[in-house]
Amino acid sequence: MNSKENTPRVALVTGGSGGIGKAVVDKLATEGFAVAVHYAGNQAKADALVQGITAAGGRALAVGGDVADETAMSALFDQVEAAFGGIDVVVNTAGIMRLGPIADFNLDDFDKIMRTNVRGTFVVSQQAARRVREGGAIINFSTSVTRTQFPNYGAYVASKSAVEGLSMILARELRGKNITVNAVAPGPTATALFLDGKSEEVIAGLSKAVPLERLGDPEDIAESVAFLAGPARWVNGQTIFTNGGLA
């Protein structure tokens, strides 16, 4: 019973305590993964999520730290490996968004976006490249706005375009290791990150812009992640636009 086939696969989900991250954690847990739920500032939400998984018979662990801090992330990966014996899948949903026109954008906010979204993704991807076991997957997060190019998203799109680029290169650098690297690019999805600061009129307009005429649910995005984390072994070095046909 100690064979690889009978050992649950292990996933680490950064930003796993809320929004899309929570949906990803729930989906992977239901598919039999042992899940490490990362949080940056809200341990209570992560602990509650872990308790729910373990109460249902699953395996889960809450782990905290700044994704842009390489020392903290190295220790976090150590913690997950010690608890579960290794890591098969890393899903990096952690990110922040600030909106505004480029001409007037606050550069302190720009630096915060770049630190979390670009440096954070780089640091986590670096650790994942060193640690993920053969047959595993690394899944980073972009945005469909890299294609729709909505005004006021300049800083955010700049950070997510960088995420796409580094993910595609990492996929090629891991040649021969049987580890896939992809990015998921959600469209407008009903999360606190997306809805914050938007009027009902704007939200309704974005809903109608999608051919399916609704916002995405976090669970819609989690389906794509589960596909890349599991059966999608021939999908590698791609950006998957999960957006209901927005663009």
Side-chain angles (χ1 to χ4, degrees):
M1 295 296 290
N2 291 323
S3 68
K4 185 175 181 180
E5 290 77 14
N6 292 310
T7 301
R9 298 183 78 208
V10 177
L12 164 62
V13 182
T14 71
S17 61
I20 290 172
K22 179 181 182 299
V24 169
V25 167
D26 286 335
K27 178 66 175 177
L28 294 180
T30 62
E31 296 203 349
F33 281 80
V35 186
V37 183
H38 163 267
Y39 63 90
N42 197 328
Q43 182 176 352
K45 288 179 66 176
D47 286 343
L49 185 53
V50 166
Q51 289 168 10
I53 292 169
T54 55
R59 300 176 67 201
L61 171 73
V63 288
D66 177 1
V67 291
D69 183 330
E70 66 273 26
T71 301
M73 287 301 101
S74 179
L76 182 148
F77 274 74
D78 286 344
Q79 186 179 355
V80 177
E81 289 176 334
F84 295 136
I87 301 173
D88 301 289
V89 174
V90 173
V91 185
N92 193 26
T93 77
I96 62 173
M97 180 166 62
R98 302 282 190 277
L99 303 181
I102 293 170
D104 302 319
F105 202 81
N106 183 289
L107 291 180
D108 287 339
D109 285 341
F110 180 86
D111 289 343
K112 290 174 183 176
I113 290 171
M114 292 297 159
R115 187 176 193 280
T116 297
N117 296 1
V118 180
R119 181 184 170 92
T121 299
F122 196 99
V123 167
V124 171
S125 295
Q126 185 177 68
Q127 287 295 323
R130 298 169 178 171
R131 313 270 197 131
V132 167
R133 295 186 286 207
E134 181 182 357
I138 301 168
I139 304 162
N140 290 321
F141 264 69
S142 181
T143 173
S144 286
V145 190
T146 57
R147 294 204 305 199
T148 60
Q149 299 167 355
F150 294 143
N152 296 321
Y153 281 78
Y156 185 66
V157 164
S159 73
K160 292 303 186 177
S161 296
V163 168
E164 287 187 24
L166 75 88
S167 299
M168 302 310 103
I169 289 172
L170 182 57
R172 281 114 187 125
E173 290 181 348
L174 293 180
R175 173 185 290 272
K177 295 189 175 182
N178 192 24
I179 296 170
T180 62
V181 185
N182 294 286
V184 173
T189 305
T191 65
L193 180 69
F194 172 78
L195 297 173
D196 183 45
K198 293 184 176 69
S199 68
E200 290 295 328
E201 181 181 9
V202 168
I203 293 168
L206 288 168
S207 299
K208 292 299 182 182
V210 177
L212 296 179
E213 295 191 331
R214 68 172 177 87
L215 295 181
D217 294 319
E219 291 75 17
D220 294 321
I221 314 306
E223 291 284 353
S224 292
V225 172
F227 176 63
L228 294 172
R233 299 308 304 164
W234 194 235
V235 180
N236 188 31
Q238 305 299 316
T239 298
I240 308 300
F241 287 86
T242 307
N243 59 23
L246 180 64

